[in-house]
Amino acid sequence: PDIPISTQYPEQLQAEGRLTDEGASLEFTFPAAIAASAKMTFTLPATAVTSIDLERTATEPDGLLAQNNWQVLEDSALVKRLNYPWIRTVIAFSGEDDLSGAVILGETNGQTVQLVVQYPDAAAQTYWATAMLILDNLEFDAEQLPLVQQ
């Protein structure tokens, strides 16, 4: 209840929310039978940063993409598929061990949002059916946002 995010998701997923001094997070993990390495992680930082700042920290030489050895995919259908009002930037990537995903950055109610989605290529269709259910029903609690007054 302290996490300013709510959504619907299939009961086979495990959801874990955290609220700390650094911000709020909500992670969905998939059962090993579907894809053990598939997950969605929402992060709402408690610092006053913009989605442009988040993009810079994701793409800089020692940023999130580089740390995970993820290669940016310039032409991805993901960019066209993800059309929600809070999204500002979608950075599709491919990684080692046939892993794909995206770093999705945006803002809502004065709060920056980072969403990292990752899944094995072989489970892409199953993963996206579930991910779209989560994203289509996603709501941010405007009364709890932003986490820090800017």
Side-chain angles (χ1 to χ4, degrees):
D2 296 334
I3 304 297
I5 302 171
S6 63
T7 191
Q8 294 179 14
Y9 58 95
E11 61 183 53
Q12 79 260 22
L13 292 187
Q14 184 173 4
E16 184 177 348
R18 290 189 186 102
L19 187 60
T20 67
D21 292 341
E22 296 176 7
S25 67
L26 179 59
E27 182 171 271
F28 294 96
T29 53
F30 291 70
I34 294 175
S37 60
K39 63 182 174 179
M40 295 180 77
T41 307
F42 290 90
T43 305
L44 285 68
T47 55
V49 297
T50 67
S51 58
I52 294 169
D53 295 331
L54 287 178
E55 182 175 358
R56 195 173 303 121
T57 61
T59 58
E60 60 191 15
D62 62 342
L64 179 65
L65 293 163
Q67 289 172 6
N68 289 290
N69 294 318
W70 294 337
Q71 302 301 313
V72 174
L73 301 175
E74 297 298 332
D75 185 28
S76 170
L78 267 181
V79 175
K80 297 174 185 97
R81 178 189 291 175
L82 300 173
N83 186 21
Y84 298 93
W86 61 272
I87 294 177
R88 302 289 180 262
T89 304
V90 177
I91 305 168
F93 66 80
S94 65
E96 298 170 346
D97 300 322
D98 295 321
L99 182 76
S100 294
V103 177
I104 302 164
L105 308 168
E107 297 180 32
T108 184
N109 302 302
Q111 175 67 52
T112 53
V113 178
Q114 175 180 286
L115 169 59
V116 177
V117 296
Q118 61 185 50
Y119 53 90
D121 294 336
Q125 188 170 12
T126 301
Y127 176 86
W128 278 108
T130 302
M132 296 308 287
L133 172 69
I134 292 169
L135 291 170
D136 287 347
N137 292 286
L138 184 66
E139 293 182 18
F140 297 96
D141 185 349
E143 292 181 15
Q144 293 182 332
L145 297 174
L147 296 176
V148 170
Q149 297 300 319
Q150 301 182 17

